[in-house]
Amino acid sequence: MPLIHPRDEEGTGRDEVSVNPVFAREPVRVPRDRLPDGELDADVAYQLVHDELMLDGNARLNLATFVGTWMDDQATRLMTESFSKNMIDKDEYPRTAELERRCVRMLADLWHTTGDAPGCSTTGSSEACMLAGLALKRRWRHRNPGGARPNLVMGANVQVCWHKFANYWDVEARVVPMSGDRFHLDAATAAERCDENTIGVVAILGSTFDGSYEPVAEICAALDRLQEDRGWDVPVHVDGASGAMVAPFCDEDLVWDFRLPRVASINTSGHKYGLVYPGVGWVVWRDAEALPEDLVFKVNYLGGEMPTFALNFSRPGAQIVAQYYNFLRLGRSGYARVQGYCREVATELAARIGALAQYELITDGGELPVFTFTVREDAGFSVFDLSAALREQGWLVPAYTFPPDREDLSVLRVVVRNGFSHDLADLFFDSLRQATADLTRTGGIGAAKQAFAHGAEQPG
């Protein structure tokens, strides 16, 4: 979570929120940063919060986020009915616990594991990655009780949660930088970074930087050869935060999951291409051996014991209910239809942008329904200028530089999610053409780059 610092001294200078006189009979002023002395009428409190939230961006026009911004009315109703359920309290809410179990079984089947593979829900892929990383480290430690400091091999395009894992649990992060047109980890560079203290290799199925898949099968094959040559048995974790809910439906012939014996675990975000509102994630291990027993706690469950593995304890059950609803509602054919439509919108929109003289495509939306493009050097403006211009029209499109060693490459990224239709894509393209024409005529605004450079810690 972001750290909260004291409010900047600059700004309005007001320490209170003023209530519109239409909402209350008497003048009301509400303190901003301390609890008010008395109560407010519920309608007045609602209107104060509602009015402030109007300054947020429109979630449906947010092309920066991978997180779901649309669900149907039935899903919303089920979530409303389940908001009060604490999913960790499995004694009191056994049916919610059963729906979680069914979702894990469905994902295990989708990702081609057999038997009774362990798995669990999480608050999102960040927690799921932490759990998977802990399992890799503990499994390595059991095999190497006297080993030196462990390390984890990953590409520079990993989500920041992997750097957090390495920091929090004292694991050396062996980060492979980008090089030339290679924007993610490949088989050769992954194997080169491994040694006897490598707990695993993280393969990203759907990079947040450009939407591309890493070659999981090739990485596994390189590690097979490494084991034959050096005797190092290095497992692979597939971070499928987005791609693990796209590839099974759109790329059925792509082998990336538990069909590869070296893949030990897979995570995904139910609240991304699992099509659920935030926040729910999932992690599944190949088998019981891949999840060391001493990481699992036993909790009382209807007179017996139920295993649990989590960093968080109390959390809502509504998103789990919504995930199960989506699995029932859509099935394999429904997910294939939704994800296929997203990819169709992404590739068509990417092609239209790539045809404009000012832009160059980096990726085309043919893997994740996500694409990136850059502004040509002779355009007269930067990606940061374009991002700022699009924001003025309501569109949130992130601009950022790639990680080491391609910090020289600045791009914009468009994430196409469920609910972003061809019609909305047409509207976005019209806005982009208008912004392009304005920037071509006036030139870049310069300061925009600094504003965006200090925005988020990384795209995601």
Side-chain angles (χ1 to χ4, degrees):
M1 66 181 70
L3 293 177
I4 306 300
H5 295 283
R7 191 155 54 93
D8 197 324
E9 292 298 326
E10 299 178 2
T12 64
R14 303 181 195 276
D15 294 325
E16 297 176 321
V17 179
S18 180
V19 178
N20 187 321
V22 172
F23 301 151
R25 291 181 180 276
E26 302 294 332
V28 177
R29 302 187 71 84
V30 181
R32 292 181 186 273
D33 298 323
R34 63 177 178 83
L35 284 172
D37 296 328
E39 302 177 34
L40 274 182
D41 179 83
D43 288 335
V44 174
Y46 166 83
Q47 198 66 45
L48 278 173
V49 178
H50 173 84
D51 286 356
E52 184 148 357
L53 290 176
M54 289 192 302
L55 296 176
D56 274 345
N58 184 328
R60 292 286 296 281
L61 302 184
N62 183 0
L63 302 185
T65 184
F66 285 79
V67 175
T69 55
W70 185 91
M71 292 191 77
D72 59 34
D73 290 341
Q74 291 83 351
T76 303
R77 192 158 69 243
L78 277 171
M79 292 186 74
T80 302
E81 294 167 359
S82 305
F83 280 149
S84 60
K85 295 183 179 181
N86 179 8
M87 62 76 52
I88 205 67
D89 193 352
K90 302 180 189 302
D91 287 349
E92 297 297 328
Y93 308 115
R95 302 323 301 168
T96 301
E98 171 61 16
L99 299 190
E100 179 189 26
R101 188 198 68 82
R102 292 179 193 174
C103 287
V104 169
R105 298 273 67 77
M106 290 176 176
L107 289 170
D109 176 69
L110 184 68
W111 297 334
H112 296 98
T113 190
T114 58
D116 199 21
C120 61
S121 67
T122 62
T123 51
S125 274
S126 292
E127 183 188 2
C129 291
M130 297 285 178
L131 298 181
L134 280 172
L136 291 175
K137 183 181 179 183
R138 187 64 59 89
R139 182 181 175 189
W140 171 85
R141 183 60 70 188
H142 286 332
R143 295 180 177 181
N144 302 273
R149 186 186 184 200
N151 64 77
L152 182 67
V153 175
M154 62 188 82
N157 59 311
V158 294
Q159 216 272 348
V160 71
C161 66
W162 287 107
H163 295 281
K164 291 180 179 179
F165 165 77
N167 185 5
Y168 297 165
W169 276 278
D170 193 25
V171 173
E172 177 193 353
R174 292 192 172 175
V175 180
V176 178
M178 296 181 176
S179 178
D181 292 332
R182 178 179 59 75
F183 300 133
H184 54 226
L185 193 64
D186 64 10
T189 54
E192 287 170 0
R193 298 298 176 102
C194 294
D195 61 23
E196 67 274 16
N197 295 314
T198 301
I199 65 174
V201 172
V202 177
I204 308 296
L205 196 74
S207 170
T208 60
F209 279 92
D210 65 0
S212 63
Y213 295 159
E214 290 187 337
V216 182
E218 294 176 16
I219 291 171
C220 288
L223 296 177
D224 289 341
R225 293 190 293 271
L226 185 67
Q227 184 174 8
E228 292 174 3
D229 295 341
R230 305 299 299 271
W232 302 330
D233 183 10
V234 179
V236 169
H237 172 77
V238 178
D239 183 348
S242 295
M245 289 303 295
V246 173
F249 308 110
C250 296
D251 307 291
E252 295 183 60
D253 295 333
L254 181 67
V255 178
W256 62 272
D257 53 15
F258 291 119
R259 287 170 288 184
L260 298 167
R262 196 161 291 277
V263 172
S265 49
I266 300 170
N267 71 276
T268 197
S269 293
H271 60 225
K272 292 182 180 174
Y273 287 98
L275 309 182
V276 177
Y277 287 135
V280 60
W282 303 93
V283 57
V284 177
W285 287 268
R286 167 179 294 281
D287 49 34
E289 183 182 354
L291 176 58
E293 181 65 22
D294 54 350
L295 285 175
V296 181
F297 285 80
K298 301 294 195 299
V299 295
N300 187 27
Y301 177 52
L302 297 180
E305 286 187 330
M306 182 168 186
T308 179
F309 182 31
L311 299 180
N312 293 291
F313 199 69
S314 295
R315 56 188 176 88
Q319 285 84 354
I320 291 170
V321 172
Q323 184 74 86
Y324 184 67
Y325 165 80
N326 268 350
F327 284 170
L328 291 186
R329 164 81 171 80
L330 294 172
R332 287 178 181 257
S333 63
Y335 269 96
R337 181 170 52 83
V338 171
Q339 316 299 37
Y341 181 85
C342 288
R343 182 180 285 182
E344 178 185 298
V345 172
T347 54
E348 289 191 13
L349 180 58
R352 295 170 73 185
I353 293 173
L356 298 177
Q358 294 85 353
Y359 305 117
E360 178 183 353
L361 288 180
I362 304 300
T363 50
D364 65 0
E367 293 180 321
L368 285 188
V370 174
F371 64 91
T372 53
F373 63 101
T374 190
V375 176
R376 296 186 185 275
E377 290 185 5
D378 59 356
F381 57 91
S382 72
V383 295
F384 304 97
D385 296 322
L386 180 59
S387 181
L390 289 169
R391 184 179 289 260
E392 291 177 0
Q393 301 187 57
W395 300 101
L396 307 180
V397 184
Y400 51 89
T401 59
F402 270 28
D405 286 330
R406 286 306 314 269
E407 298 100 325
D408 60 299
L409 180 59
S410 300
V411 302
L412 295 112
R413 185 192 68 202
V414 173
V415 179
V416 176
R417 304 178 308 281
N418 185 33
F420 189 75
S421 63
H422 281 295
D423 290 337
L424 279 175
D426 289 343
L427 294 174
F428 171 72
F429 186 70
D430 289 343
S431 296
L432 183 138
R433 282 197 303 184
Q434 182 61 56
T436 302
D438 292 343
L439 288 169
T440 300
R441 184 175 64 256
T442 63
I445 59 178
K449 181 169 184 176
Q450 292 299 319
F452 280 88
H454 297 92
E457 58 188 2
Q458 79 167 77

